[in-house]
Amino acid sequence: MASETIVRLLAAACLAGNLEVDEVVDRWGRAMGKRWRWLRPLARRVLAEFAGDARARESAVARFIASDRGFRRAALTHDLRVAEVLHASGPGMSPVRAAEVWQLPPLRTAGELAQWLGIDTRQLDWFADRRSFGSKRHQGPLRHYHYRTVAKRFGQVRLIESPKPRLKQIQRRILAGILDLIPTHPAVHGFRRGRSIMTFAQPHVGQRIVVRIDLQDFFPTVGRAWVQALFRTVGYPEVVADVLAGVCTHATPADAWESVDSEHFGRQPDRIHRLYSRPHLPQGAPTSPALANLCAYRLDCRLAGLARSAGASYTRYADDLAFSGQADFVRVAPRFCLHVGATAMEEGFSVHHRKTRRMRQGVRQHLAGLVVNERLNVRRKDFDLLKATLTNCIRSGPQSQNRGNQSNFRAHLAGRLSFVELVNPEKGRRLRELFDRIPW
C-alpha cells in the first residue's frame, strides 16, 4: 500500500490517545495488524520530536514520519497494510497551564462548536471557508464580506472588510464567549474594556522624550496559522481550532481592489496583494481587534522587557507603539528604535519607519491625538477648529457649518465636544457654553 496512506494512518493513530511510547506502539500495532519491530524506535523518535506538545498537529506528525529514514526503509522492505483506522474520539481540552483558569467553553468537536454557535455543521463549514473558496467566487450573495476603501495618509488606502449580518453574529458570539475571557498583555490599551486612548497616553505624560512607532499593516499581517495556534494554545482540539480560525479570518478576492488606483499601493503593490490574498484578520470583523491583541502577546512581552532594560515605559494601542523615559532613555532612543524594529520583525510584524517619531520636551509630544507634554490635553488646532465651528453655528446657523453632510450634525458636534470635556474639563466647559447657545 502507498506509504502516504500509511503515514496518515500512523499520524492519526499517534494522536488518538496518550503520547506514551507503549501506548503509541500498541495503537500502531492495532492499526497495521502487526507490531513491527521498527514501530518502537519510530515511536521514540516521534515522541522525542513532539515531547510535551499536547497540541501537535496531525499534519506535522505526518510530515515527520514521512521524512524519517527508518520509516522509509521499512516502507520499502515490508508490505504495509491497514487493519484498523484509529481517530481521536472526543479529544479533550489541553490548554497551557496559564489557560486552565480562564473558564473557556469546552468545545471538543466541530459538532459541539456548531451547537454552541446555534447553527448546524454544514453551515459552520460554509462560514469557516477553510479552503478560501469565497475569494475565488464572483461577486454575489455567496460571499461573506462587503468591501470598501478608506483614504489614509501618504496617499494610501485602507481596505475595510465587513462581514455580512449572519457571519457577524457568529463572530460576536466567539468574541463574547471565548476571546473576551482571555487576558491580554497589561501594556495593551486598544479594544479593551476600561481602557482608552487616555489610558494609553497617560504613562507618557511629562517625560523627557516620547517615541511613537507604527506597525505596518497590523491586521492583515496576522494570518490564519497564527489564529489557529492561538486557539490550540488555549486548549481547543485541532479540528475546533481550525474551524474557529476559518470563521475569524478571510482571504480577499482580487476584484475587491478594482476601484483602487495602483498608485495607492505605494512602492510594493505585489506585497499588498499577497498579504490580503492569503487568509488574514479582516479589518471590520468584530473578532479581529481581540485576536490581533492576543496574537501580539509575545511581541508585547518582548517590547515591555526591552523598554524596562532602557528605563522606559511602554504601551500599545492597536498598531501604535509608545515608549517614553527620562535622560537615560534620551541617549539610547535612536538605537532603541532599531531594536524595536528588529524585535517586531522577529515576531512577524514590520515597522512603518516613515511614521516613527522621537519627540523631546521642546516640541509637541502627541499620542493618538492627545498632547502629553505636561498633562493630557487636546491639540490646540482641534480645540480652535471646534470652537470656530460652534461660534459660526451661533452666528450663521448650524447647517452652514455642516460641510461633511452629517445626517445628525448636532450629535456629531456633541460627540466632539464630549471628547474635549473628557480630556480637559475646563476647555470642555467653555465649549459647552457655546454649544448651548446654538439655535437648533
Side-chain angles (χ1 to χ4, degrees):
M1 179 170 290
S3 60
E4 182 179 349
T5 303
I6 298 297
V7 166
R8 292 199 300 267
L9 172 79
L10 294 176
C14 178
L15 300 177
N18 293 328
L19 295 183
E20 300 290 341
V21 173
D22 290 338
E23 296 188 32
V24 171
V25 173
D26 180 65
R27 291 195 296 272
W28 282 352
R30 287 166 49 200
M32 303 184 69
K34 182 177 180 180
R35 293 173 62 104
W36 297 95
R37 293 179 60 184
W38 49 268
L39 288 178
R40 184 171 293 276
L42 176 61
R44 291 196 186 100
R45 293 191 293 272
V46 170
L47 297 188
E49 176 68 18
F50 298 97
D53 187 1
R55 292 161 295 279
R57 293 181 64 86
E58 185 175 315
S59 57
V61 176
R63 284 195 300 271
F64 180 83
I65 294 175
S67 63
D68 184 81
R69 291 184 179 181
F71 170 75
R72 293 205 304 267
R73 191 183 314 109
L76 293 174
T77 306
H78 304 290
D79 182 21
L80 305 181
R81 296 183 178 275
V82 176
E84 181 182 352
V85 178
L86 301 179
H87 292 292
S89 57
M93 299 281 287
S94 57
V96 296
R97 182 172 300 178
E100 293 175 354
V101 299
W102 293 343
Q103 301 298 316
L104 301 179
L107 307 171
R108 300 175 179 84
T109 65
E112 290 184 9
L113 174 60
Q115 185 178 8
W116 183 74
L117 292 172
I119 57 178
D120 60 46
T121 53
R122 294 178 61 184
Q123 289 177 313
L124 178 60
D125 191 54
W126 182 56
F127 282 119
D129 193 17
R130 285 178 282 179
R131 297 188 179 182
S132 299
F133 289 137
S135 64
K136 303 176 180 64
R137 295 191 183 102
H138 295 294
Q139 298 183 19
L142 293 180
R143 285 187 174 174
H144 297 312
Y145 286 82
H146 297 293
Y147 307 96
R148 63 185 177 90
T149 56
V150 178
K152 295 171 60 178
R153 294 176 60 191
F154 304 108
Q156 297 179 345
V157 296
R158 174 182 288 113
L159 180 66
I160 304 299
E161 303 168 279
S162 303
K164 294 181 179 179
R166 190 69 182 97
L167 177 58
K168 182 178 290 187
Q169 181 182 3
I170 293 172
Q171 291 174 340
R172 283 175 174 163
R173 171 69 167 146
I174 295 172
L175 174 65
I178 297 177
L179 300 178
D180 281 349
L181 303 179
I182 305 174
T184 59
H185 192 276
V188 175
H189 293 260
F191 317 112
R192 289 188 62 186
R193 189 176 288 108
R195 301 286 183 94
S196 65
I197 59 172
M198 292 183 64
T199 62
F200 164 67
Q202 183 63 53
H204 310 288
V205 172
Q207 300 292 330
R208 289 281 297 276
I209 187 171
V210 175
V211 176
R212 189 181 74 239
I213 298 177
D214 182 80
L215 295 177
Q216 190 172 20
D217 301 315
F218 183 53
F219 286 102
T221 294
V222 181
R224 181 173 293 176
W226 252 349
V227 180
Q228 289 170 335
L230 170 67
F231 284 119
R232 292 283 280 154
T233 299
V234 300
Y236 289 108
E238 182 176 335
V239 62
V240 176
D242 288 352
V243 174
L244 284 170
V247 171
C248 296
T249 57
H250 173 60
T252 306
D255 56 48
W257 299 101
E258 287 181 350
S259 61
V260 181
D261 294 334
S262 59
E263 64 184 23
H264 292 303
F265 295 118
R267 299 179 181 179
Q268 299 176 310
D270 293 338
R271 186 188 70 85
I272 296 296
H273 282 296
R274 284 196 304 270
L275 197 62
Y276 280 88
S277 64
R278 67 182 181 87
H280 61 274
L281 292 182
Q283 189 166 356
T287 49
S288 292
L291 284 170
N293 279 338
L294 294 170
C295 289
Y297 185 84
R298 272 178 53 93
L299 175 67
D300 291 324
C301 290
R302 294 187 63 184
L303 292 182
L306 183 64
R308 282 195 302 270
S309 68
S313 300
Y314 164 64
T315 58
R316 178 172 66 82
Y317 193 97
D319 56 355
D320 287 333
L321 313 178
F323 305 89
S324 65
Q326 297 297 334
D328 291 341
F329 186 54
V330 173
R331 290 191 292 270
V332 301
R335 189 168 69 253
F336 180 86
C337 293
L338 297 178
H339 284 293
V340 171
T343 302
M345 185 177 297
E346 290 172 0
E347 293 300 326
F349 296 94
S350 59
V351 168
H352 198 310
H353 294 286
R354 292 176 61 187
K355 294 185 178 181
T356 298
R357 296 291 183 272
R358 297 196 298 271
M359 300 166 285
R360 301 200 183 196
Q361 283 183 321
V363 301
R364 185 183 66 188
Q365 299 171 328
H366 55 99
L367 296 171
L370 298 177
V371 179
V372 297
N373 286 70
E374 297 179 356
R375 53 162 293 181
L376 283 183
N377 207 346
V378 294
R379 293 181 295 187
R380 178 178 291 275
K381 69 174 185 179
D382 294 336
F383 173 80
D384 290 344
L385 178 61
L386 181 55
K387 181 181 178 181
T389 301
L390 296 175
T391 302
N392 289 335
C393 285
I394 297 172
R395 293 174 178 172
S396 307
Q399 290 306 316
S400 67
Q401 301 302 304
N402 188 11
R403 298 184 178 89
N405 295 320
Q406 299 288 337
S407 58
N408 191 338
F409 188 54
R410 180 172 184 171
H412 171 73
L413 286 181
R416 293 171 60 185
L417 173 57
S418 297
F419 175 72
V420 177
E421 289 177 321
L422 180 66
V423 178
N424 190 322
E426 176 57 28
K427 287 186 175 180
R429 183 187 60 78
R430 285 148 50 191
L431 294 180
R432 175 66 65 179
E433 293 175 355
L434 295 175
F435 182 83
D436 292 339
R437 293 168 53 192
I438 297 176
W440 297 104

